[in-house]
Amino acid sequence: MAEKQDKKTIRFKEVTEHVDIETGEVQSYERKSVFQVDKEPEYVKLYLRDIIRLNGLPPATGKVLNALLQSMGYNNIIPAYAPIKKVICRDLGVTMHTLNKAIDNLYKKDILIRIDRGIYMADPELFGRGTWGEIKEIRMMVTYTEDGKKQIKTEVDKDQLKLF
């Protein structure tokens, strides 16, 4: 059985034309390039409400998660400090206490990973924004011990993720 490749081949053709100044004759040549890039892994579309339900969180937490994800950057970083929280509270019609409780629940379920005070990373196993090459760089390996505890490993240095 053939081994599945983790790369895909991209071919493109670049045509460059040159004009002879003395004769006005158009001379052209063709350059072909071939390179390989990592393939995006297989995925299944998963809705936010399903992530919330599968983690046993209150349904209203999904609205908070959606609001937070809308401000997520290309490195999966989500700012959640006071001025941003106030805007989210206003937009969702919830109190700061309700918002903070939802964020805490998302943190406890490892859906959000705390990077620093008011700065979170959306779990890159669930969410990603950017090109596959960028997303691949922040992916994590999640394993479980025999007693059911989650262990997270990543190639990204936590200090690289601090923005402020």
Side-chain angles (χ1 to χ4, degrees), residues 16 125 144 151:
T16 305
E125 294 297 320
Y144 294 89
Q151 295 178 327

Side-chain angles (χ1 to χ4, degrees), residues 52-162:
I52 297 302
R53 184 174 50 84
L54 292 169
N55 282 282
L57 294 169
T61 307
K63 292 178 183 178
V64 171
L65 179 58
N66 186 40
L68 292 169
L69 290 173
Q70 288 180 30
S71 64
M72 180 175 80
Y74 282 97
N75 51 6
N76 275 36
I77 300 297
I78 299 172
Y81 36 84
I84 292 174
K85 286 179 170 181
K86 287 177 186 175
V87 170
I88 292 172
C89 286
R90 184 196 67 216
D91 291 349
L92 297 180
V94 298
T95 66
M96 187 65 77
H97 174 75
T98 300
L99 178 68
N100 286 332
K101 180 104 172 116
I103 291 172
D104 190 51
N105 286 335
L106 292 165
Y107 167 72
K108 287 177 181 175
K109 294 292 185 173
D110 295 320
I111 295 169
L112 296 179
I113 300 157
R114 185 175 286 125
I115 302 300
D116 207 339
R117 186 173 182 199
I119 305 290
Y120 294 86
M121 173 187 266
D123 180 347
E125 294 297 320
L126 297 173
F127 309 100
R129 176 174 284 169
T131 66
W132 171 241
E134 294 164 335
I135 294 168
K136 188 180 102 175
E137 291 296 316
I138 59 172
R139 298 280 300 216
M140 296 181 191
M141 175 75 68
V142 180
T143 57
Y144 294 89
T145 61
E146 286 184 18
D147 61 352
K149 295 198 187 244
K150 185 189 279 189
Q151 295 178 327
I152 299 174
K153 297 177 187 171
T154 180
E155 297 295 318
V156 176
D157 181 3
K158 191 172 180 180
D159 290 335
Q160 290 176 305
L161 301 174
K162 290 188 178 182

Side-chain angles (χ1 to χ4, degrees), residues 5-13 32-40:
Q5 284 192 337
D6 289 337
K7 304 244 182 223
K8 71 176 177 179
T9 302
I10 300 200
R11 293 173 169 63
F12 68 91
K13 179 169 56 171
K32 294 180 183 177
S33 297
V34 176
F35 59 96
Q36 292 188 326
V37 295
D38 291 332
K39 284 185 180 178
E40 182 176 353

